[in-house]
């Protein structure tokens, strides 16, 4: 995949504010996370506009393309260019002929239909068919979750500066944190992580994901789409996330807090 980066926007900036403490106000410069509209454009056609933190956008675009099954592998994106516009950022991607045709046919089925609002899904029936079965014999080692959480808290640099972003971490099965991506959107952070792993040609079966957010449907669906077998989150899952995890073969873990956690699906992968 060839690419050209044409954007240099900071992930955070300082803004003047008045901080109140015990009834007294003082002027301060506050570090604030940035979010900008990012349009994902395939073969000249805008497919989605996301509000995202303006860093790691090439990885974001690749991860989104994989987790939404627009492409099956990174090589099917032939070219990628990031362009800053007056009101946001556009990421232009050129798809292989086969994938471009499939996306065009999919978009054609959306015309004139009432959608359910889930990432281009045009019907509830199609939503049910999107579940991907993940097969993995991987097992988390004892102590992996508390170790991963402790390490992640030390490397959430954008969160430490702003307090306003989620993180998605890629961890070995012993809990070693290997890679972290941050974004104002939890699903964006996961897409950035997926894109980075794909760019590095890391196998999605080689570790697990730890999220600093709740575990919602789209988190589990995106993980399943690329073959990630274990998803852990520091907060709660939704009922829909649990059902999708059960159906897709994903081990879903919530409330990862120190030595505590709760396993909602496929517990055979957790000791």
């Amino acid at each position: 995949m060839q690419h050209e980066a044409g954007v240099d926007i900071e992930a955070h900036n300082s803004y003047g504010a008045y901080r109140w403490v015990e009834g007294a106000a003082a002027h301060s410069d506050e570090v604030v996370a940035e979010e900008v509209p990012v349009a994902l454009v395939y073969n000249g056609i805008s497919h989605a506009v996301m509000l995202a933190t303006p860093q790691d956008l090439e990885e974001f675009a690749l991860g989104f393309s994989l987790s939404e099954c627009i492409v099956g592998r990174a090589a099917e994106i032939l070219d990628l260019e990031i362009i800053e516009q007056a009101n946001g950022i556009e990421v232009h991607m050129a798809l292989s002929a086969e994938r471009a045709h499939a996306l065009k046919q999919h978009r054609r089925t959306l015309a004139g239909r009432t959608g359910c609002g889930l990432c281009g899904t045009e019907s509830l029936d199609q939503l049910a068919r999107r579940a991907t079965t993940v097969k993995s014999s991987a097992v988390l080692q004892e102590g992996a979750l508390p170790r991963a959480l402790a390490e992640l808290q030390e490397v959430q640099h954008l969160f430490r500066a702003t307090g306003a972003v989620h993180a998605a971490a890629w961890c070995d099965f012993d809990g070693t944190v290997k890679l972290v991506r941050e974004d104002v959107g939890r699903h964006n952070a996961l897409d950035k992580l997926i894109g980075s792993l794909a760019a590095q040609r890391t196998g999605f079966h080689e570790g697990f994901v730890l999220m600093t957010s709740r575990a919602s449907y789209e988190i589990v669906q995106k993980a399943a789409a690329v073959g990630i077998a274990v998803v852990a989150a520091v907060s709660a899952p939704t009922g829909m996330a649990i059902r999708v995890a059960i159906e897709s073969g994903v081990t879903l873990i919530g409330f990862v807090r120190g030595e505590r956690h709760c396993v909602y699906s496929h517990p055979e992968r957790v000791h």
Side-chain angles (χ1 to χ4, degrees), residues 145-146 149 153 209-216 231-239 242 252-264:
L145 292 170
L149 181 61
Q153 291 171 339
V209 167
L210 175 60
M211 303 291 303
T212 61
S213 63
R214 64 184 175 91
S216 54
V231 175
V234 302
S235 193
T238 64
I242 295 171
L252 180 59
I253 309 168
F255 293 110
V256 178
R257 311 280 175 86
E259 298 293 334
R260 299 167 47 210
H261 57 269
C262 187
V263 183
Y264 294 89

Side-chain angles (χ1 to χ4, degrees), residues 2-271:
Q2 298 179 347
H3 64 89
E4 178 181 344
V7 173
D8 186 18
I9 299 177
E10 295 294 332
H12 59 78
N13 284 297
S14 294
Y15 292 83
Y18 287 91
R19 183 181 288 270
W20 288 77
V21 179
E22 297 180 351
H27 185 270
S28 65
D29 290 323
E30 299 293 315
V31 179
V32 177
E34 293 290 351
E35 59 179 346
V36 300
V38 178
L40 301 174
V41 183
Y42 297 94
N43 288 30
I45 301 173
S46 181
H47 179 78
V49 179
M50 312 291 289
L51 286 173
T53 303
Q55 63 179 6
D56 305 315
L57 292 183
E58 181 179 343
E59 296 174 353
F60 172 53
L62 174 56
F64 179 92
S65 302
L66 289 166
S67 71
E68 293 298 324
C69 301
I70 294 170
V71 299
R73 51 194 178 90
E76 291 176 322
I77 300 177
L78 306 179
D79 186 57
L80 185 150
E81 183 179 7
I82 301 174
I83 303 172
E84 184 177 356
Q85 304 288 7
N87 56 349
I89 298 170
E90 292 182 348
V91 183
H92 287 257
M93 288 166 278
L95 300 182
S96 65
E98 180 180 358
R99 284 299 182 173
H101 177 73
L103 181 60
K104 184 178 180 180
Q105 291 299 111
H106 173 69
R107 291 181 59 85
R108 186 172 295 166
T109 66
L110 298 180
R113 298 193 181 190
T114 300
C116 65
L118 285 167
C119 298
T121 301
E122 69 265 22
S123 70
L124 294 178
D125 287 341
Q126 189 194 45
L127 176 63
R129 291 196 300 270
R130 292 184 71 184
T132 303
T133 301
V134 178
K135 296 181 180 180
S136 172
S137 59
V139 177
L140 268 65
Q141 297 179 22
E142 185 176 355
L145 292 170
R147 177 181 181 180
L149 181 61
E151 290 192 9
L152 175 57
Q153 291 171 339
E154 293 300 317
V155 292
Q156 291 178 252
H157 303 303
L158 188 56
F159 177 80
R160 284 177 173 269
T162 67
V165 296
H166 292 295
W170 183 247
C171 314
D172 284 345
F173 291 114
D174 66 357
T176 302
V177 173
K178 308 295 288 186
L179 184 66
V180 177
R181 290 295 180 265
E182 296 180 277
D183 197 278
V184 290
R186 59 185 181 274
H187 45 84
N188 295 343
L190 180 56
D191 278 335
K192 289 179 177 180
L193 182 69
I194 289 172
S196 180
L197 293 171
Q200 297 177 26
R201 299 185 179 180
T202 299
F204 293 114
H205 62 283
E206 297 177 9
F208 71 96
V209 167
L210 175 60
M211 303 291 303
T212 61
S213 63
R214 64 184 175 91
S216 54
Y217 156 79
E218 71 267 26
I219 297 298
V220 177
Q221 189 273 329
K222 286 176 179 290
V226 297
I228 295 172
V230 180
V231 175
V234 302
S235 193
T238 64
M240 189 174 187
I242 295 171
R243 292 191 296 273
V244 171
I246 292 171
E247 295 171 2
S248 61
V250 171
T251 297
L252 180 59
I253 309 168
F255 293 110
V256 178
R257 311 280 175 86
E259 298 293 334
R260 299 167 47 210
H261 57 269
C262 187
V263 183
Y264 294 89
S265 61
H266 302 282
E268 66 275 8
R269 297 193 183 105
V270 182
H271 283 172

